[in-house]
């Protein structure tokens, strides 16, 4: 199944199981000033998970577009993307573990067709100090499902990622972790404020035996290792407890919050540890190969960055964001300009976005009609940003090259000049300096911020003088 078929099949299954499919929320949250972007399927539904009644009922499902700007610099490996879709289903006081876990298993094995022998899971190891038991209920449900499928169901208690790195999962299908498998808005049980809900979660991973474990991430592989063999493809959160003055008590209404990355499930379905080879990303990569005249295998990081960042920028534009130097607009500018920088490195000197935006739009036209409706506006917004940056890109790169030749340490003041004069987002300048092996002052960020404040003060003083003159 390709990614579009997986999304459609998931939403069809949820409808058959009594869920109402709700529209995606915009990437820019409407009623949440605490965050710039919608970063999970749960985020727009939090008030309902905390007790409010949802007008569509107790069983909900969707495919939510998400953007996590904190992952920008992680993009380039085989699984991180800033933009992604999260398949989600929720039970607001209706079903719980005994229905949710078999439902997700059915979807993965019977509909998507994943190999049961390569599915591994995690569950909560418990918190004796706070009186929260080990989640053997979830482990028992998984054991029954694995056994019926004719695969092993061994268990191992790892507690932490660090301990897992030292001992590995020893082939165990079900691994117990502590804080890795606890959800709340405030971290682990000990940091939760009184009155807040929380609960155990159960993650699902797909195993790629063709990938060699990277020992830079620990001696041995296990489910929560970043060593490359295990890819998380879904997580079911069971909101089961509320913190009280005395400890923890079970909630009167138990909720389920499931989220699974569409791109990662699609990668598992084609047995690829590289998410960029799925049907929603590979056509973008192929277009970049055509434009640059070079191949993906020899330019993997650059092409992944371009494909991811342009896709994210397109959806930001669809949702009304325009490039700027503030908040969501700044992140959008950073995505676009970082993509252009990598394209420049590949020899694509002009009209990158003009060529790539239609490819992205065509991939999502059926699932999200608003992409097709706003296509021309998106092209116009992103073309304008590319033209603006292209005018100064070469000059900025020459300035960085000059700094390198001087042998001097790069300061925050230097980075401010690159930002102010050449339009380089400071993070891009710092990344470029590191790539070129240029030494940087330890406090370059504080130095840069100081220059920004000084510029702001000059601007305010100028405004006051102008007003006085009037």
């Amino acid at each position: 199944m390709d990614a579009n078929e997986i999304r459609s099949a998931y939403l069809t299954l949820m409808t058959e199981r009594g869920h109402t499919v709700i529209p995606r929320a915009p990437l820019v949250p409407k009623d949440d000033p605490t965050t710039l972007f919608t970063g999970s399927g749960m985020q727009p539904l939090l008030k309902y998970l905390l007790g409010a009644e949802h007008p569509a009922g107790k069983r909900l499902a969707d495919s939510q577009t998400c953007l996590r700007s904190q992952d920008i610099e992680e993009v380039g490996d085989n699984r991180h993307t800033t933009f992604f879709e999260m398949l989600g289903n929720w039970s607001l006081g209706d079903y719980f573990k005994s229905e949710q876990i078999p439902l997700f298993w059915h979807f993965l094995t019977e509909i998507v067709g994943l190999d049961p022998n390569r599915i591994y899971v995690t569950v909560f190891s418990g918190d004796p100090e706070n009186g929260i038991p080990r989640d053997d209920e979830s482990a028992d449900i998984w054991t029954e499902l694995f056994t019926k499928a004719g695969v092993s169901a061994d268990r191992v208690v790892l507690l932490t990622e660090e301990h897992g790195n030292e001992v590995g999962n020893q082939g165990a299908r079900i691994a117990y972790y502590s804080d890795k498998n606890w959800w709340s808005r405030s971290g682990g049980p000990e940091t939760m404020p009184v009155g807040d809900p929380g609960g155990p979660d159960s993650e699902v991973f797909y195993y790629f035996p063709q990938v060699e474990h990277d020992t830079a991430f620990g001696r041995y592989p296990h489910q929560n290792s970043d060593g490359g063999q295990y890819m998380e493809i879904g997580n079911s959160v069971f909101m089961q407890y509320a913190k009280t003055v005395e400890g923890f008590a079970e909630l009167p209404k138990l909720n389920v919050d499931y989220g699974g990355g569409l791109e990662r499930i699609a990668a598992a379905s084609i047995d690829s540890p590289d998410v960029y080879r799925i049907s929603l990303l590979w056509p973008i990569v192929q277009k970049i190969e055509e434009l640059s005249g070079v191949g993906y295998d020899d330019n993997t990081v650059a092409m992944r960055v371009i494909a991811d960042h342009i896709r994210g920028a397109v959806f930001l534009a669809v949702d009304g964001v325009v490039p700027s130097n503030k908040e969501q607009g700044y992140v959008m500018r950073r995505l676009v300009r970082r993509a252009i920088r990598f394209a420049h490195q590949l020899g694509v000197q002009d009209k990158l976005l003009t060529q790539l935006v239609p490819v992205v739009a065509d991939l999502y036209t059926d699932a999200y009609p608003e992409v097709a409706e706003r296509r021309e506006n998106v092209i116009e917004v992103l073309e304008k940003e590319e033209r603006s940056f292209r005018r100064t890109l070469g000059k900025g790169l020459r300035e960085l090259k000059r700094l390198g030749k001087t042998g001097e340490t790069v300061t925050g003041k230097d980075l401010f000049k690159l930002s102010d004069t050449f339009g380089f987002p400071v993070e891009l300048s710092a990344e470029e300096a590191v790539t070129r092996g240029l030494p940087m002052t330890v406090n370059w960020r504080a130095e840069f911020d100081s220059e920004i404040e000084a510029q702001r003060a000059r601007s305010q003083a100028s405004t006051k003088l102008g007003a006085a003159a009037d």
Side-chain angles (χ1 to χ4, degrees):
M1 300 178 78
D2 69 22
N4 282 316
E5 291 169 338
I6 290 171
R7 183 199 303 111
S8 178
Y10 175 78
L11 296 176
T12 297
L13 173 65
M14 291 301 125
T15 301
E16 291 171 351
R17 298 295 179 92
H19 294 73
T20 299
V21 175
I22 56 177
R24 75 175 182 99
L27 284 176
V28 178
K30 290 182 177 178
D31 304 311
D32 185 359
T34 65
T35 184
L36 290 177
F37 301 108
T38 300
S40 68
M42 175 196 73
Q43 195 175 319
L45 295 169
L46 185 58
K47 68 179 181 181
Y48 304 108
L49 289 164
L50 296 178
E53 295 292 326
H54 195 286
K58 296 182 177 181
R59 293 186 175 217
L60 310 173
D62 73 2
S63 184
Q64 174 63 49
T65 52
C66 303
L67 194 135
R68 292 182 182 173
S69 58
Q70 64 268 33
D71 286 343
I72 285 179
E73 292 175 10
E74 299 292 330
V75 174
D77 66 11
N78 65 358
R79 61 186 64 186
H80 278 96
T81 59
T82 55
F83 175 88
F84 58 96
E85 286 184 73
M86 189 72 81
L87 303 178
N89 64 269
W90 296 269
S91 165
L92 305 177
D94 191 348
Y95 58 87
F96 207 48
K97 298 175 186 178
S98 62
E99 182 169 341
Q100 170 59 27
I101 294 174
L103 175 61
F104 186 35
W105 172 262
H106 170 74
F107 173 66
L108 292 178
T109 60
E110 299 297 322
I111 295 179
V112 180
L114 299 189
D115 181 357
N117 198 43
R118 291 170 61 183
I119 293 175
Y120 288 71
V121 303
T122 65
V123 293
F124 183 56
S125 61
D127 186 339
E129 290 186 8
N130 285 291
I132 304 172
R134 195 167 81 166
D135 189 11
D136 287 325
E137 181 184 359
S138 291
D140 289 343
I141 295 169
W142 282 119
T143 297
E144 182 178 354
L145 292 169
F146 287 133
T147 301
K148 284 183 178 178
V151 299
S152 63
D154 296 343
R155 305 182 187 188
V156 63
V157 178
L158 296 178
L159 298 179
T160 66
E161 181 178 341
E162 293 73 21
H163 181 60
N165 291 340
E166 287 301 311
V167 301
N169 63 9
Q170 300 143 50
R173 186 84 49 188
I174 303 167
Y176 288 91
Y177 294 87
S178 52
D179 285 359
K180 284 282 187 182
N181 284 104
W182 176 266
W183 178 89
S184 82
R185 293 186 294 175
S186 309
E190 69 285 347
T191 60
M192 291 172 59
V194 171
D196 254 22
D201 61 56
S202 182
E203 298 169 303
V204 176
F205 296 78
Y206 202 65
Y207 174 59
F208 293 98
Q210 67 269 41
V211 175
E212 183 177 352
H213 172 67
D214 185 348
T215 55
F217 297 97
R219 294 177 64 192
Y220 299 106
H222 59 102
Q223 280 88 323
N224 262 310
S225 166
D226 287 326
Q229 289 191 325
Y230 294 90
M231 180 186 287
E232 183 189 342
I233 57 174
N235 185 22
S236 297
V237 174
F238 302 110
M239 296 179 64
Q240 189 169 357
Y241 300 99
K243 191 164 187 177
T244 67
V245 176
E246 293 79 22
F248 281 81
E250 191 157 291
L251 288 164
K253 187 171 74 170
L254 307 180
N255 296 330
V256 172
D257 160 36
Y258 161 74
L262 172 61
E263 289 85 351
R264 293 187 175 192
I265 295 172
S269 75
I270 60 172
D271 194 18
S272 172
D274 182 355
V275 300
Y276 289 86
R277 292 189 178 273
I278 69 166
S279 59
L280 291 175
L281 281 161
W282 191 243
I284 309 173
V285 171
Q286 289 177 311
K287 188 65 176 180
I288 299 167
E289 288 183 313
E290 177 190 322
L291 295 173
S292 64
V294 297
Y296 176 71
D297 291 341
D298 296 323
N299 301 275
T300 308
V301 171
M303 291 193 181
R304 286 171 176 169
V305 168
I306 297 165
D308 168 74
H309 288 10
I310 298 305
R311 189 172 66 142
V314 166
F315 269 88
L316 285 172
V318 167
D319 285 350
V321 180
V322 295
S324 72
N325 288 327
K326 292 183 179 180
E327 299 181 327
Q328 290 94 347
Y330 179 72
V331 174
M332 184 183 192
R333 171 159 286 166
R334 218 182 134 194
L335 288 170
V336 172
R337 296 193 173 193
R338 192 164 185 254
I340 293 168
R341 168 66 191 102
F342 275 92
H344 183 86
Q345 175 183 313
L346 297 181
V348 182
Q349 305 292 333
D350 194 26
K351 297 185 178 179
L352 174 73
L353 295 162
T354 306
Q355 305 272 6
L356 289 185
V357 170
V359 177
V360 177
D362 288 346
L363 292 170
Y364 289 96
T365 295
D366 291 338
Y368 302 110
E370 63 269 30
V371 176
E373 292 167 9
R374 298 167 197 168
R375 176 185 182 128
E376 295 309 312
N377 176 255
V378 170
I379 292 174
E380 182 182 344
V381 167
L382 297 182
E383 277 185 345
K384 181 180 178 182
E385 180 66 7
E386 179 172 8
R387 286 195 302 271
S388 174
F389 188 46
R390 290 280 189 190
R391 284 195 291 267
T392 58
L393 174 60
K395 294 177 182 178
L397 291 173
R398 286 193 292 275
E399 176 66 13
L400 273 166
K401 187 176 181 180
R402 185 194 68 77
L403 288 171
K405 286 181 176 179
T406 65
E408 296 177 3
T409 299
V410 177
T411 68
K413 188 171 184 177
D414 296 322
L415 299 182
F416 172 77
K417 179 181 178 182
L418 284 162
S419 171
D420 191 48
T421 306
F422 304 112
F424 273 57
V426 63
E427 298 85 357
L428 178 58
S429 297
E431 182 182 356
E432 192 72 29
V434 170
T435 301
R436 293 168 180 260
L438 307 185
M440 299 176 66
T441 56
V442 175
N443 298 319
W444 65 265
R445 183 77 217 201
E447 294 165 352
F448 175 84
D449 290 341
S450 178
E451 293 292 326
I452 289 288
E453 286 301 317
Q455 183 189 58
R456 185 175 292 122
R458 289 192 298 270
S459 176
Q460 290 172 346
S462 174
T463 301
K464 288 178 181 178
L465 283 171
D470 291 340

